[in-house]
């Protein structure tokens, strides 16, 4: 049996999380990027050591992606984006979160909610990073090597995506000509 629970956070509810994030950022302002990511990584270790509800475990995976994004030299986040991700991770680096993690069942609930808020804030960065990781795995499989051994760079991924989009554009153009009764462009002539 599964049960769907929807939680709607109003402005006042969200303000509790915003305030907690701001406190964490203030308390963590002297921490290095490495210290922030290591502290956030400890939350993952603690989470794996506990039997967590699946909806919390799913969100911890997103936290793992955010940490990896900051540390992935191949992805090479621009400094402004890197600082945004680190600002989100400071909440997980602070042991004084809203619900202490050692509270059975609910201890990681505030972390799951905060991860969800951070993922919404960083949606484009998280999506791009997950696409980059998938590309690196695909390249590694094509070369028969471990993805960790591949030194894939962001520029290679971006170029592959650019070529993929051009190919898709050409295929769609061809399909639209076929579906429109054989019409071919006549306004433009191509000299060969």
């Amino acid at each position: 049996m599964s049960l769907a629970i929807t939680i709607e956070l109003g402005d006042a509810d969200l303000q509790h999380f915003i305030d907690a994030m701001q406190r964490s950022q203030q308390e963590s302002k002297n921490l290095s990027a490495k210290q922030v990511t290591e502290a956030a990584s400890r939350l993952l270790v603690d989470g794996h050591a506990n039997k967590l509800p699946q909806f919390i475990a799913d969100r911890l995976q997103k936290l793992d992606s955010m940490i990896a994004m900051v540390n992935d030299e191949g992805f090479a986040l621009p400094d402004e984006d890197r600082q945004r991700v680190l600002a989100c991770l400071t909440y997980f680096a602070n042991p004084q979160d809203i619900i202490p993690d050692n509270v059975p069942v609910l201890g990681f609930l505030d972390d799951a909610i905060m991860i969800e808020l951070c993922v919404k804030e960083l949606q484009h960065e998280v999506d791009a990073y997950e696409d980059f990781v998938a590309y690196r795995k695909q390249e590694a499989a094509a070369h028969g090597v471990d993805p960790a051994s591949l030194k894939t760079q962001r520029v290679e991924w971006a170029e592959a995506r650019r070529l993929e989009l051009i190919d898709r554009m050409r295929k769609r153009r061809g399909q639209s000509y076929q579906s429109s009764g054989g019409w071919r462009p006549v306004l433009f002539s191509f000299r060969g």
Side-chain angles (χ1 to χ4, degrees):
M1 176 179 102
S2 64
L3 173 67
I5 297 175
T6 303
I7 299 173
E8 185 173 329
L9 300 175
D11 290 341
D13 301 320
L14 287 173
Q15 193 60 50
H16 290 293
F17 287 94
I18 292 168
D19 293 344
M21 179 63 82
Q22 289 173 344
R23 276 191 309 277
S24 295
Q25 289 170 346
Q26 186 62 30
E27 292 169 9
S28 303
K29 68 181 176 186
N30 295 324
L31 296 179
S32 69
K34 183 178 181 186
Q35 290 171 311
V36 170
T37 57
E38 284 176 352
S41 292
R42 281 192 292 278
L43 177 67
L44 292 175
V45 171
D46 293 345
H48 292 304
N50 291 288
K51 183 159 176 56
L52 297 175
Q54 190 60 45
F55 71 93
I56 292 177
D58 291 345
R59 271 120 193 116
L60 286 178
Q61 283 301 114
K62 292 293 185 179
L63 177 62
D64 194 26
S65 289
M66 289 188 283
I67 294 167
M69 183 187 337
V70 168
N71 293 326
D72 194 324
E73 292 178 15
F75 191 61
L77 265 176
D79 195 49
E80 179 182 336
D81 295 333
R82 189 170 192 268
Q83 292 307 316
R84 289 182 66 230
V85 176
L86 284 168
C88 285
L89 291 176
T90 59
Y91 179 81
F92 311 104
N94 187 345
Q96 304 299 322
D97 55 3
I98 296 173
I99 303 172
D101 294 338
N102 61 359
V103 173
V105 181
L106 298 177
F108 289 89
L109 181 60
D110 64 311
D111 298 306
I113 292 170
M114 188 63 83
I115 291 167
E116 194 68 26
L117 294 171
C118 290
V119 167
K120 282 193 177 296
E121 183 80 18
L122 301 168
Q123 186 66 54
H124 302 294
E125 291 88 346
V126 171
D127 288 347
Y129 182 67
E130 289 176 351
D131 187 50
F132 174 79
V133 170
Y135 169 76
R136 182 169 42 207
K137 285 180 182 174
Q138 178 184 359
E139 286 296 299
H143 293 90
V145 298
D146 178 24
S149 70
L150 224 90
K151 300 297 179 203
T152 306
Q153 299 295 309
R154 186 182 185 118
V155 68
E156 295 166 306
W157 164 70
E159 178 62 10
R161 290 299 166 249
R162 185 184 76 80
L163 294 174
E164 186 179 292
L165 290 171
I166 289 171
D167 186 51
R168 187 178 341 155
M169 174 187 66
R170 288 181 178 152
K171 285 179 182 174
R172 287 180 179 167
R173 183 184 313 130
Q175 290 169 349
S176 72
Y177 294 155
Q178 292 170 359
S179 66
S180 61
W183 179 85
R184 293 278 189 238
V186 293
L187 300 176
F188 310 104
S189 63
F190 300 98
R191 296 177 197 187

